[in-house]
Amino acid sequence: MVRPPLTLEERLRGEQLGLVLRQARGERSIVEVAAAAGMSAETLRKIETGRIATPAFFTIASLADVLGISLDHLATRSTPAAT
């Protein structure tokens, strides 16, 4: 099964999500946060850079828990501004 290409909106939302997660991570290392969330550092790096623009819900829920931020905050901050 071939996955359809992401839309521009999905790519922008993924980049914004990555920015919010990087800001929430602050000075903590990517390895520390990824391990606490139960994923590889490479997966977290890809999410933070927008290379994984549509991560699974439970992945984001785990990151939100580790970073101490709400899913509502992530949803609100990850919506790109209207162009």
Side-chain angles (χ1 to χ4, degrees), residues 42-55:
E42 183 60 22
T43 297
L44 179 53
R45 186 173 293 109
K46 287 178 181 178
I47 293 170
E48 285 188 355
T49 59
R51 288 177 47 215
I52 298 177
T54 57

Side-chain angles (χ1 to χ4, degrees), residues 3 6 10-11 13-18 21 39-56 59-60:
R3 183 176 180 173
L6 297 175
E10 289 170 326
R11 288 196 322 268
R13 189 173 52 232
E15 290 171 7
Q16 189 64 34
L17 172 64
L21 292 172
M39 67 185 68
S40 71
E42 183 60 22
T43 297
L44 179 53
R45 186 173 293 109
K46 287 178 181 178
I47 293 170
E48 285 188 355
T49 59
R51 288 177 47 215
I52 298 177
T54 57
T59 300
I60 295 304

